[in-house]
Amino acid sequence: MWGGRFAEGPSAIMQEINASIPFDKALWQQDITGSLAHAAMLARCGIISKADAEQIKIGLHQVAEEFAANGVDEDWSLEDIHMHVEAQLRATIGEAAGRLHTARSRNDQVATDLKLWVRDAIDQTDAALAAFQTVLVDRAEEHAETIMPGFTHLQSAQPVTLGHHLMAYYEMIERDRSRFADARGRLNQSPLGAAALAGTGFPIDREQTAKALGFDAPTRNSLDSVSDRDFAIDYLMAASQCALHLSRLAEEIIIWASQPYGFVALPDSFSTGSSIMPQKRNPDAAELVRAHSARITGCLHAVMMTMKGLPLAYSKDMQNDKPPVFEAEGLLALSLAAMTGMMREMTFRPDAMRAAAERGYATATDLADWLVREADIPFREAHHITGEAVKLAEQQGVALEALSLDALKAIDDRIDDRVFSVLSLDASVASRNCYGATAPDRVREQINSARQRLAAS
Ligand code: ARG
């Protein structure tokens, strides 16, 4: 394709290091779509004949059929998917194929192809995230009143509802979706027509190809167009942040499914056994979601580090942007599918959650708050008195609300029997009823508003 000025062909090693076809063949559909738009524009602008454009169009559709049926061969001497499509077109329609690459370079072509690919990936990810949100909100509604210990430092802190806890993840996922949407908005300008770097002297119409490919407009600067990989990095940043959220939930599922917790039972469909320990039911899917987030973030860093030292405009380094983008997309899609399935099918154990909240003296803050409110004791002192009560309950091996009034009065005689109304887990949860808080009514409010936003998204 470019051999005119060379006396000898490349060495086998040169061909191997240069070939991107093993991975960029994933772009064959985008490449053909871009070429169809380009050829139609060339004909409309009078740069190639209508007859040639028609042949190219028919030929490209045949190439698409061929690739869909038999896959793309990997011929290293043809380097990349762009050359493979063109070679296949030549084999199909002959000479006219040679006119397709007029007023175009592989540099604007590859940027266009990858943008189209990433745009599709974003749309698919968004749909998968919406499906995950639907499951989260369903499970949250089911457990709007289920009490569990809320943790700080993974120490029992204050009782919360499981519905509240799950809705926290709903919010994270909503922000993830908005990050992907932002990335999509910035990405959606067409590089096609920037040619190698400087634009072209042919009277092309970049608006036309931009529109045909669903872009909002052509990119404004041809040098930037062929050098820009921020769109891939934006996508990988959004993917990394999203994977990180999934990883935190995965970590919680792993902890919750462990025997000392027993907050959830994983479904058979998302557990594995041990080859030696018959009692085992391992949370491998959650562990792999946690691990995949590391790889996805690694993909982000691979592209960032590739780009950081590159002078304008195109350098072959940029060919390496594709494997990390493809890898991250595959890992994220799988992680999301696994998380959605686990969340839909796992069994929550409200009794174990409630028992853990009682063991952890999760209503200690409620006792301190009561002393402040009802006995006008400064919070610092109330904190100290409550600490004594917790110590006593711990010695007796009982919940706070199981301490006798006499025992509490011995610690501070300003305590009276009204205190028992705040010591229960249910009272504690019901009392936290400010906007966004854990009281079941407030959680239902969050759920209703989430369902409305989800339906509108
Ligand atoms: N396979 C190349 C890539 O993915 C296509 C662009 C080649 N451009 C060039 N000037 N060699 O980046």
Side-chain angles (χ1 to χ4, degrees):
M1 296 271 181
W2 41 252
R5 66 161 293 184
F6 288 81
E8 281 178 39
S11 76
I13 291 172
M14 180 63 221
Q15 286 198 352
E16 183 170 357
I17 196 170
N18 201 33
S20 54
I21 189 64
F23 50 85
D24 68 14
K25 63 185 190 176
L27 295 173
W28 71 262
Q29 281 166 304
Q30 288 75 13
D31 198 71
I32 289 174
T33 303
S35 289
L36 283 166
H38 182 67
M41 180 277 292
L42 289 177
R44 250 180 267 134
C45 295
I47 300 167
I48 63 172
S49 73
K50 296 227 159 25
D52 283 342
E54 188 55 27
Q55 261 199 294
I56 289 171
K57 183 170 133 188
I58 293 166
L60 284 171
H61 283 298
Q62 282 171 4
V63 174
E65 272 169 34
E66 159 67 21
F67 286 173
N70 301 319
V72 184
D73 282 344
E74 290 182 27
D75 178 349
W76 289 354
S77 71
L78 286 174
E79 294 186 15
D80 57 26
I81 188 59
H82 323 296
M83 303 276 231
H84 276 71
V85 171
E86 195 178 319
Q88 188 67 33
L89 183 65
R90 184 180 296 271
T92 311
I93 64 166
E95 277 311 297
R99 302 206 182 266
L100 173 60
H101 210 53
T102 316
R104 184 177 78 170
S105 151
R106 279 185 292 159
N107 295 349
D108 58 341
Q109 195 178 350
V110 73
T112 305
D113 290 3
L114 189 57
K115 275 191 167 187
L116 291 174
W117 194 94
V118 170
R119 197 174 68 186
D120 280 351
I122 289 175
D123 292 344
Q124 280 164 29
T125 307
D126 187 65
L129 286 169
F132 181 44
Q133 283 184 310
T134 304
V135 174
L136 278 173
V137 84
D138 285 348
R139 300 299 325 247
E141 185 154 51
E142 210 181 299
H143 291 284
E145 299 195 12
T146 299
I147 288 176
M148 65 180 283
F151 297 95
T152 58
H153 315 271
L154 199 56
Q155 303 282 319
S156 201
Q158 293 174 351
V160 295
T161 57
L162 174 57
H164 193 215
H165 195 107
L166 295 178
M167 287 307 290
Y169 282 99
Y170 183 97
E171 294 292 330
M172 294 176 226
I173 300 299
E174 184 165 316
R175 291 194 297 276
D176 291 335
R177 288 181 69 191
S178 91
R179 266 181 283 271
F180 280 114
D182 279 354
R184 192 190 198 286
R186 269 191 299 277
L187 161 156
N188 211 30
Q189 295 188 341
S190 171
L192 204 56
L197 72 166
T200 176
F202 288 102
I204 58 169
D205 182 350
R206 294 190 58 207
E207 297 277 351
Q208 221 181 87
T209 42
K211 198 161 166 228
L213 295 171
F215 288 111
D216 299 327
T219 48
R220 286 182 291 264
N221 179 303
S222 65
L223 285 168
D224 177 47
S225 313
V226 294
S227 312
D228 164 28
R229 291 297 180 275
D230 346 341
F231 71 88
I233 293 174
D234 271 353
Y235 164 71
L236 289 168
M237 284 191 191
S240 297
Q241 177 63 73
C242 178
L244 193 151
H245 286 150
L246 297 182
S247 179
R248 293 185 75 176
L249 180 56
E251 169 75 6
E252 298 210 291
I253 291 172
I254 293 160
I255 293 171
W256 292 350
S258 70
Q259 282 69 36
Y261 277 77
F263 286 7
V264 299
L266 290 176
D268 287 351
S269 51
F270 284 98
S271 314
T272 53
S274 156
S275 56
I276 174 169
M277 296 166 283
Q279 84 282 12
K280 285 286 225 163
R281 174 191 281 279
N282 292 330
D284 296 39
E287 290 168 308
L288 286 165
V289 168
R290 188 172 59 182
H292 284 359
S293 75
R295 283 172 67 188
I296 291 169
T297 309
C299 293
L300 164 65
H301 286 268
V303 180
M304 287 177 78
M305 291 305 101
T306 301
M307 295 307 295
K308 75 174 175 55
L310 297 188
L312 301 187
Y314 178 87
S315 297
K316 204 54 171 279
D317 312 48
M318 290 160 80
Q319 177 162 285
N320 275 2
D321 57 359
K322 283 164 226 65
V325 168
F326 297 160
E327 183 183 5
E329 190 276 338
L331 291 171
L332 184 61
L334 198 52
S335 299
L336 261 169
M339 264 305 179
T340 305
M342 267 188 287
M343 186 50 68
R344 184 185 299 122
E345 290 175 37
M346 75 190 165
T347 307
F348 290 104
R349 300 271 189 237
D351 292 349
M353 293 184 181
R354 178 175 279 271
E358 308 231 289
R359 276 197 306 278
Y361 307 108
T363 58
T365 314
D366 299 87
L367 172 55
D369 287 349
W370 185 88
L371 291 168
V372 169
R373 222 172 33 242
E374 304 297 331
D376 196 25
I377 298 173
F379 184 78
R380 280 288 149 241
E381 195 189 339
H383 186 287
H384 187 81
I385 295 166
T386 304
E388 302 259 324
V390 169
K391 190 159 67 181
L392 183 65
E394 209 165 34
Q395 279 161 7
Q396 297 187 2
V398 297
L400 268 182
E401 62 181 307
L403 287 173
S404 70
L405 183 58
D406 287 346
L408 285 168
K409 274 193 168 304
I411 293 168
D412 193 294
D413 70 359
R414 286 169 290 187
I415 298 177
D416 62 51
D417 63 358
R418 289 172 306 155
V419 77
F420 292 106
S421 69
V422 302
L423 291 184
S424 77
L425 293 170
D426 302 85
S428 166
V429 159
S431 74
R432 296 219 155 68
N433 63 356
C434 77
Y435 179 75
T438 206
D441 285 348
R442 288 303 199 174
V443 172
R444 287 201 191 87
E445 193 175 84
Q446 290 167 46
I447 289 168
N448 291 339
S449 136
R451 282 205 196 280
Q452 277 168 24
R453 297 195 308 274
L454 192 54
S457 70

